[in-house]
Amino acid sequence: MSQVLTDQQVEFYRNNGFCVAEGIIGDQLVERARNVIDGLLSSPDITDVAELEPGDEMMARRIWAPTSRDKVFVEIAEDEILLDAAAQLIGPDIVLQYSKLNVKPPKVGSVVEWHQDFAYYPHTNTDLLACLIYLDDATPENSCLKVAAGSHRQGILSHHVDEHFGGKITSLADVGVDESTVVDCPGPAGTVVFLHPLAAHASEKNTSDRYRRVFIPAFRSADALPIYYGPHAAHNEPTAKLVRGRQATTARCEEGVWQLPLAAAEFNSLYQIQEGSHLDAKKSSTGYFSHETKAD
Ligand SMILES: O=C(O)CCC(=O)C(=O)O
C-alpha cells in the first residue's frame, strides 16, 4: 500500500474532518467519465437513471448508482490510489457502501443544504468516508464543496424539522457550529475531497456557466455496520461491496446516542428531503418506504 496522502493531509483530516488532495484521479479516467455522463444524460430514458432539476426537464441534478451504469465508475471507485488514500483514513478493510453523481448543471444546479452524511446513515462507528471526486474544475463560482472545519468533533447535529428527519441543518449557528469555520474546497478535475461522515458540508446553487460534476463513492470500514435499515439506507446494502482487505467478523461500536433518520415520508434523494418535496409525493401513509426508494 502506498502513502498517497502526506502526514500533514492525514493530520488535517483528523483535525478538520476533511482534506483535499489534487491529482488523485488521472485525466484520462476523468475524461472517460465525463463522456459517459454525456451519454447517460442524452438517453431518452433519462428519468430511469437520473433525477431532474425541478422545473427543467432537460437538466439532471443526480445520476443514480453510477457504478451500476458504467464500468468507468467502478474503475474510479476501486482505483488503487484512491483506496490507498482511503485506507490511510479509515483502515485497511474497506467496503464501498454506495455511489452517486451530482451533476450541478450551469445556471440551475440545485443547492445542497448543510448536512452530515452520518445523519442519513448512522453506523456502529464513524469510520465512514465520502470521496467527492471533481470531474470538472471546481471553484466557488461553480459551487465547489463548502465544509465547516472541525464540525466533525461536535457529534450528530439536529437534522430534524418538528419531530421528523428533514435531511438538513437549518442553521449552523442554531446547532452551535461557528460559521467562521466554513471554508471552500476548490480543486481542478481529478481532485478528491475526503470527507468525514460527521463533517457538516454544503454547496450553493451553480450560477456560473460551467458544469460542476462530482462523482461520490462512499466507503466505510468493514467493521462499521449500519444501525438504521429504513428504506434509503437499506437500499444500499444489497450492493455494498468489500473492495479492499477482509470482511469483518465483528462490529466495532463507538459509544453515544445517535438520532435515527426517520422521515415523514420516503424520499429518493437528499435534494427531495431537503426541499421538502418528498412530502408532496408522499407514497406511504405509514412512514415505511417502497423498494423503489433510492440512495440519498
Ligand atoms: O454535490 C455537492 O456539492 C455535495 C454533495 C453532497 O453533500 C451529497 O450528495 O451528500
Side-chain angles (χ1 to χ4, degrees), residues 87-108:
Q88 289 180 266
L89 303 176
I90 59 170
D93 303 315
I94 301 177
V95 167
L96 174 62
Q97 184 194 353
Y98 65 89
S99 75
K100 59 188 176 182
L101 200 155
N102 291 347
V103 179
K104 202 78 109 173
K107 303 290 180 200
V108 290

Side-chain angles (χ1 to χ4, degrees), residues 62 100 102 104 112 115 117 132 145 201 203 212 214 216 270 296:
R62 160 69 58 80
K100 59 188 176 182
N102 291 347
K104 202 78 109 173
V112 173
H115 66 284
D117 292 343
L132 288 89
L145 193 76
H201 58 286
S203 64
R212 196 239 50 193
V214 63
I216 312 178
L270 154 152
D296 83 289

Side-chain angles (χ1 to χ4, degrees), residues 29-278:
L29 267 185
V30 168
E31 185 58 32
R32 274 176 56 206
R34 286 197 293 238
N35 289 338
V36 168
I37 294 169
D38 289 347
L40 288 171
L41 296 186
S42 56
S43 143
D45 303 323
I46 186 169
T47 50
D48 291 345
V49 299
E51 178 176 312
L52 302 180
E53 291 282 358
D56 193 328
E57 288 177 14
M58 303 304 289
M59 294 285 196
R61 59 182 173 186
R62 160 69 58 80
I63 293 176
W64 306 112
T67 49
S68 66
R69 314 237 171 254
D70 193 280
K71 67 179 184 335
V72 70
F73 297 112
V74 179
E75 280 178 53
I76 298 176
E78 299 187 19
D79 180 86
E80 291 300 326
I81 293 177
L82 183 71
L83 293 180
D84 282 349
Q88 289 180 266
L89 303 176
I90 59 170
D93 303 315
I94 301 177
V95 167
L96 174 62
Q97 184 194 353
Y98 65 89
S99 75
K100 59 188 176 182
L101 200 155
N102 291 347
V103 179
K104 202 78 109 173
K107 303 290 180 200
V108 290
S110 288
V111 74
V112 173
E113 306 273 4
W114 288 103
H115 66 284
Q116 297 166 304
D117 292 343
F118 204 76
Y120 285 77
Y121 299 118
H123 280 62
T124 56
N125 67 61
T126 53
D127 279 329
L128 277 64
L129 181 71
C131 296
L132 288 89
I133 303 172
Y134 291 142
L135 301 176
D136 299 289
D137 296 348
T139 63
E141 289 67 43
N142 66 350
S143 308
C144 62
L145 193 76
K146 297 187 296 182
V147 183
S151 52
H152 67 306
R153 286 188 256 107
Q154 295 186 239
I156 293 203
L157 305 166
S158 173
H159 288 61
H160 279 58
V161 178
D162 302 325
E163 76 273 30
H164 293 298
F165 182 66
K168 64 182 174 189
I169 296 164
T170 313
S171 142
L172 287 181
D174 286 355
V175 294
V177 174
D178 178 355
E179 289 177 359
S180 71
T181 62
V182 172
V183 290
D184 286 321
C185 299
T191 294
V192 180
V193 182
F194 294 95
L195 192 67
H196 187 282
L198 287 173
H201 58 286
S203 64
E204 307 283 350
K205 185 175 161 68
N206 182 6
T207 53
S208 80
D209 54 10
R210 290 188 294 125
Y211 270 97
R212 196 239 50 193
R213 289 162 287 194
V214 63
F215 169 51
I216 312 178
F219 300 104
R220 64 183 180 219
S221 170
D223 64 4
L225 300 188
I227 58 173
Y228 172 72
Y229 279 94
H232 72 270
H235 180 83
N236 298 320
E237 292 309 310
T239 51
K241 177 184 175 194
L242 186 75
V243 287
R244 178 60 82 84
R246 294 155 69 122
Q247 200 73 55
T249 53
T250 53
R252 183 164 44 89
C253 301
E254 282 173 28
E255 237 180 281
V257 175
W258 290 328
Q259 191 124 36
L260 300 176
L262 300 170
E266 67 184 272
F267 57 94
N268 279 337
S269 75
L270 154 152
Y271 296 108
Q272 271 193 354
I273 187 164
Q274 290 188 339
E275 291 162 353
S277 56
H278 65 308

